Amino acid sequence: MRDLFSVGKETNSRDERLEILTKQILKLQNQLLKITEQQKTYHQTILKKQEALEEKIENQKIEATTKELFLQPEEESYIMLEEKKEEKTPIAHEEYVDSLEKEIIKSVAKNKKTIIKQKILAIASKQRTTSKNVKEIIVDKYRYCSKATFYRYLSELKRQQKIETITINNKEYVCNISIDRKTNSF
């Protein structure tokens, strides 16, 4: 009979343990539900705060753009007034500089033809180039003269025998003869 009584005690203790464990599981489930509900409410409040902040930012952007639109004409007129003042003050000084500049420009304009010819000769003497490359430097890059004027000066230099053109493989190379003669005389 002792065996019968001990078996009953073991089953009672197991049942009690199972009941305790199920109660604990139920408590944990309830706690999890409460935690998830709290997380949902926190998430909703955070979303509301974020939306409010985004609205504030948008309102501030709109206010800033409207302020810029209203302030912009005033700033432009202010800048225009400053520009007019700056134009008035250097006029007396410009008259003095203009007279010097005009004299220099007149002297350069008188010698423009010779200056451009010297530039052509200098470029032709420094490197072996085609007449097209010299034209690109004189006309396109520095804009000393027009294309027609450049080719007129080039033909004048050929007539004066200061420059010679050599055609190799359908390319016309320009050679400065005056320098070549000096080097060949040695």
Side-chain angles (χ1 to χ4, degrees):
M1 292 212 96
R2 289 185 184 175
D3 292 331
L4 290 176
F5 292 115
S6 65
V7 171
K9 287 182 184 178
E10 287 178 18
T11 55
N12 286 339
S13 66
R14 283 185 196 164
D15 289 337
E16 288 174 3
R17 285 185 204 159
L18 285 175
E19 283 180 35
I20 293 171
L21 287 175
T22 52
K23 287 180 183 177
Q24 287 178 350
I25 289 173
L26 288 174
K27 284 181 184 178
L28 288 174
Q29 284 178 346
N30 289 334
Q31 288 177 351
L32 282 174
L33 288 173
K34 288 179 183 178
I35 290 172
T36 53
E37 288 177 13
Q38 286 178 349
Q39 284 181 341
K40 287 179 184 177
T41 55
Y42 290 149
H43 184 69
Q44 289 174 354
T45 54
I46 289 172
L47 285 177
K48 288 178 184 177
K49 288 180 181 179
Q50 185 177 0
E51 288 174 0
L53 287 174
E54 288 175 355
E55 287 179 17
K56 285 182 182 178
I57 291 171
E58 287 179 28
N59 290 335
Q60 288 177 352
K61 285 181 182 177
I62 292 169
E63 288 175 8
T65 54
T66 54
K67 285 181 182 178
E68 287 177 7
L69 290 174
F70 287 118
L71 293 177
Q72 196 170 18
E74 293 174 11
E75 290 175 353
E76 286 178 4
S77 63
Y78 181 72
I79 290 172
M80 291 175 75
L81 290 174
E82 282 184 13
E83 289 176 355
K84 289 179 182 177
K85 289 178 183 176
E86 289 177 359
E87 290 176 1
K88 290 180 182 178
T89 53
I91 290 174
H93 183 65
E94 283 181 0
E95 290 175 5
Y96 178 73
V97 175
D98 281 347
S99 62
L100 289 175
E101 285 180 6
K102 286 178 184 178
E103 278 187 50
I104 294 170
I105 289 171
K106 284 180 184 178
S107 66
V108 169
K110 288 177 185 176
N111 299 323
K112 180 179 178 182
K113 186 175 183 178
T114 56
I115 292 170
I116 293 173
K117 285 181 179 180
Q118 287 175 353
K119 293 280 186 183
I120 293 170
L121 289 171
I123 292 170
S125 66
K126 287 182 183 175
Q127 55 191 2
R128 180 181 285 176
T129 60
T130 62
S131 58
K132 184 180 177 182
N133 289 343
V134 177
K135 190 254 331 166
E136 287 175 354
I137 293 170
I138 298 292
V139 175
D140 299 332
K141 187 176 179 181
Y142 294 114
R143 299 181 184 193
Y144 289 139
C145 62
S146 68
K147 183 178 171 182
T149 305
F150 167 77
Y151 283 111
R152 192 171 351 117
Y153 292 161
L154 192 66
S155 65
E156 286 178 17
L157 288 171
K158 286 180 190 176
R159 273 188 264 123
Q160 294 172 354
Q161 295 181 348
K162 292 184 177 181
I163 249 181
E164 187 177 322
T165 56
I166 302 169
T167 306
I168 301 172
N169 295 333
N170 296 329
K171 288 187 177 182
E172 188 177 86
Y173 290 94
V174 180
C175 300
N176 188 344
I177 297 174
S178 58
I179 291 179
D180 290 339
R181 287 182 184 165
K182 290 177 185 175
T183 56
N184 289 337
S185 63
F186 287 99

